[in-house]
Amino acid sequence: MPEVIYKDNDNLVEVDELKNSATDAYINTATVTLTAIRDSAGVTVTGVSFPMSMTYVASSNGKYQATVDKVIALVAGQAYTAVIDAASGTLDGHWEIPLTCKIRTS
């Protein structure tokens, strides 16, 4: 099921519990990037600048966050994909997370 991104709202994008799968240790020193938010045609959405650095949350276990400004050009009801990349030493991660844009009603 797709995650929700709200039109005309600042949206928090988060990676939680980033781990080394071989050791099960949390990675708190990675470089994590929201590389793009793409529409269903694979085109990067305009209105904000990508790539966007995701900041480590102090004293967390591998949590990284970025805020996407409300000016991003989203269309309610449309499908999008958040592309996230992480690197730590020789370890790399890549995610493509399905999103659905909605209008907040409550």
Side-chain angles (χ1 to χ4, degrees), residues 1 5 10 20 23 25-27 32 39 52 56 62 73 87-89 102:
M1 176 175 231
I5 188 166
D10 292 337
N20 178 327
T23 65
Y26 292 108
I27 301 174
V32 183
D39 64 18
M52 187 179 295
Y56 171 69
S88 178
K102 295 187 176 184

mmCIF file of all heavy atoms in Angstrom, residues 1 5 10 20 23 25-27 32 39 52 56 62 73 87-89 102:
data_model
loop_
_atom_site.group_PDB
_atom_site.id
_atom_site.type_symbol
_atom_site.label_atom_id
_atom_site.label_comp_id
_atom_site.label_asym_id
_atom_site.label_seq_id
_atom_site.Cartn_x
_atom_site.Cartn_y
_atom_site.Cartn_z
ATOM 1 N N MET A 1 0.844 -1.186 0.000
ATOM 2 C CA MET A 1 0.000 0.000 0.000
ATOM 3 C C MET A 1 0.885 1.244 0.000
ATOM 4 O O MET A 1 1.831 1.335 0.778
ATOM 5 C CB MET A 1 -0.910 -0.020 1.219
ATOM 6 C CG MET A 1 -1.770 1.209 1.371
ATOM 7 S SD MET A 1 -2.898 1.041 2.754
ATOM 8 C CE MET A 1 -4.396 1.463 1.924
ATOM 9 N N ILE A 5 1.381 11.345 0.668
ATOM 10 C CA ILE A 5 2.025 12.661 0.677
ATOM 11 C C ILE A 5 0.908 13.669 0.472
ATOM 12 O O ILE A 5 0.054 13.496 -0.394
ATOM 13 C CB ILE A 5 3.145 12.762 -0.390
ATOM 14 C CG1 ILE A 5 3.914 14.071 -0.219
ATOM 15 C CG2 ILE A 5 2.612 12.576 -1.801
ATOM 16 C CD1 ILE A 5 5.230 14.109 -0.993
ATOM 17 N N ASP A 10 3.741 20.824 4.186
ATOM 18 C CA ASP A 10 5.099 20.339 4.352
ATOM 19 C C ASP A 10 4.983 18.869 4.747
ATOM 20 O O ASP A 10 4.127 18.508 5.561
ATOM 21 C CB ASP A 10 5.832 21.122 5.434
ATOM 22 C CG ASP A 10 6.104 22.566 5.040
ATOM 23 O OD1 ASP A 10 6.133 22.867 3.835
ATOM 24 O OD2 ASP A 10 6.297 23.391 5.951
ATOM 25 N N ASN A 20 22.931 -2.221 9.207
ATOM 26 C CA ASN A 20 23.796 -3.106 8.456
ATOM 27 C C ASN A 20 23.160 -4.491 8.547
ATOM 28 O O ASN A 20 23.059 -5.060 9.637
ATOM 29 C CB ASN A 20 25.193 -3.105 9.078
ATOM 30 C CG ASN A 20 26.150 -4.038 8.393
ATOM 31 O OD1 ASN A 20 25.780 -5.087 7.888
ATOM 32 N ND2 ASN A 20 27.418 -3.652 8.398
ATOM 33 N N THR A 23 25.372 -7.314 10.250
ATOM 34 C CA THR A 23 25.679 -7.260 11.686
ATOM 35 C C THR A 23 24.486 -6.878 12.543
ATOM 36 O O THR A 23 24.546 -6.970 13.763
ATOM 37 C CB THR A 23 26.794 -6.238 11.960
ATOM 38 O OG1 THR A 23 26.301 -4.929 11.633
ATOM 39 C CG2 THR A 23 28.041 -6.552 11.146
ATOM 40 N N ALA A 25 23.603 -3.999 13.170
ATOM 41 C CA ALA A 25 23.946 -2.765 13.886
ATOM 42 C C ALA A 25 23.296 -1.562 13.193
ATOM 43 O O ALA A 25 23.267 -1.483 11.957
ATOM 44 C CB ALA A 25 25.455 -2.585 13.921
ATOM 45 N N TYR A 26 22.788 -0.635 13.990
ATOM 46 C CA TYR A 26 22.232 0.601 13.434
ATOM 47 C C TYR A 26 23.332 1.424 12.788
ATOM 48 O O TYR A 26 24.473 1.443 13.273
ATOM 49 C CB TYR A 26 21.543 1.427 14.526
ATOM 50 C CG TYR A 26 20.291 0.774 15.043
ATOM 51 C CD1 TYR A 26 20.254 0.208 16.314
ATOM 52 C CD2 TYR A 26 19.148 0.716 14.260
ATOM 53 C CE1 TYR A 26 19.113 -0.408 16.788
ATOM 54 C CE2 TYR A 26 17.994 0.104 14.729
ATOM 55 C CZ TYR A 26 17.982 -0.457 15.984
ATOM 56 O OH TYR A 26 16.848 -1.061 16.450
ATOM 57 N N ILE A 27 22.994 2.114 11.718
ATOM 58 C CA ILE A 27 23.939 3.001 11.043
ATOM 59 C C ILE A 27 23.506 4.435 11.313
ATOM 60 O O ILE A 27 22.451 4.869 10.826
ATOM 61 C CB ILE A 27 23.989 2.720 9.526
ATOM 62 C CG1 ILE A 27 24.409 1.268 9.277
ATOM 63 C CG2 ILE A 27 24.951 3.695 8.840
ATOM 64 C CD1 ILE A 27 24.343 0.845 7.829
ATOM 65 N N VAL A 32 22.411 10.036 3.733
ATOM 66 C CA VAL A 32 21.105 9.608 3.234
ATOM 67 C C VAL A 32 20.501 10.765 2.455
ATOM 68 O O VAL A 32 20.516 11.916 2.915
ATOM 69 C CB VAL A 32 20.176 9.165 4.386
ATOM 70 C CG1 VAL A 32 18.843 8.663 3.850
ATOM 71 C CG2 VAL A 32 20.858 8.075 5.226
ATOM 72 N N ASP A 39 6.942 11.444 -10.732
ATOM 73 C CA ASP A 39 5.555 11.144 -11.091
ATOM 74 C C ASP A 39 5.486 9.776 -11.772
ATOM 75 O O ASP A 39 6.501 9.085 -11.927
ATOM 76 C CB ASP A 39 4.952 12.257 -11.955
ATOM 77 C CG ASP A 39 5.622 12.420 -13.306
ATOM 78 O OD1 ASP A 39 6.325 11.495 -13.775
ATOM 79 O OD2 ASP A 39 5.425 13.491 -13.922
ATOM 80 N N MET A 52 17.934 16.029 -1.940
ATOM 81 C CA MET A 52 17.731 16.678 -0.654
ATOM 82 C C MET A 52 18.370 15.815 0.441
ATOM 83 O O MET A 52 18.058 14.626 0.541
ATOM 84 C CB MET A 52 16.218 16.804 -0.427
ATOM 85 C CG MET A 52 15.797 17.576 0.765
ATOM 86 S SD MET A 52 13.971 17.656 0.868
ATOM 87 C CE MET A 52 13.589 18.605 -0.602
ATOM 88 N N TYR A 56 20.374 13.018 10.105
ATOM 89 C CA TYR A 56 20.293 12.034 11.184
ATOM 90 C C TYR A 56 19.630 12.676 12.402
ATOM 91 O O TYR A 56 19.953 13.803 12.783
ATOM 92 C CB TYR A 56 21.693 11.538 11.557
ATOM 93 C CG TYR A 56 21.719 10.682 12.798
ATOM 94 C CD1 TYR A 56 21.148 9.423 12.809
ATOM 95 C CD2 TYR A 56 22.283 11.156 13.974
ATOM 96 C CE1 TYR A 56 21.150 8.638 13.945
ATOM 97 C CE2 TYR A 56 22.298 10.389 15.120
ATOM 98 C CZ TYR A 56 21.725 9.129 15.105
ATOM 99 O OH TYR A 56 21.722 8.358 16.247
ATOM 100 N N GLY A 62 19.385 4.966 13.835
ATOM 101 C CA GLY A 62 19.337 4.963 12.375
ATOM 102 C C GLY A 62 18.174 5.697 11.756
ATOM 103 O O GLY A 62 17.706 5.330 10.685
ATOM 104 N N ALA A 73 5.157 20.560 -6.580
ATOM 105 C CA ALA A 73 4.038 20.563 -7.546
ATOM 106 C C ALA A 73 3.373 19.185 -7.626
ATOM 107 O O ALA A 73 3.589 18.418 -8.568
ATOM 108 C CB ALA A 73 4.538 21.006 -8.915
ATOM 109 N N ALA A 87 24.381 5.792 1.851
ATOM 110 C CA ALA A 87 25.734 5.263 1.729
ATOM 111 C C ALA A 87 26.442 5.403 3.068
ATOM 112 O O ALA A 87 26.333 6.431 3.734
ATOM 113 C CB ALA A 87 26.506 6.006 0.645
ATOM 114 N N SER A 88 27.158 4.334 3.446
ATOM 115 C CA SER A 88 27.951 4.341 4.664
ATOM 116 C C SER A 88 29.149 3.434 4.430
ATOM 117 O O SER A 88 29.006 2.211 4.388
ATOM 118 C CB SER A 88 27.132 3.847 5.858
ATOM 119 O OG SER A 88 27.933 3.815 7.027
ATOM 120 N N GLY A 89 30.318 4.044 4.228
ATOM 121 C CA GLY A 89 31.503 3.252 3.907
ATOM 122 C C GLY A 89 31.291 2.503 2.605
ATOM 123 O O GLY A 89 30.970 3.088 1.586
ATOM 124 N N LYS A 102 -2.715 13.151 -1.545
ATOM 125 C CA LYS A 102 -4.065 13.393 -1.045
ATOM 126 C C LYS A 102 -4.189 14.813 -0.524
ATOM 127 O O LYS A 102 -3.190 15.449 -0.189
ATOM 128 C CB LYS A 102 -4.420 12.418 0.080
ATOM 129 C CG LYS A 102 -4.503 10.971 -0.371
ATOM 130 C CD LYS A 102 -5.014 10.079 0.729
ATOM 131 C CE LYS A 102 -5.181 8.671 0.210
ATOM 132 N NZ LYS A 102 -5.765 7.800 1.226
#
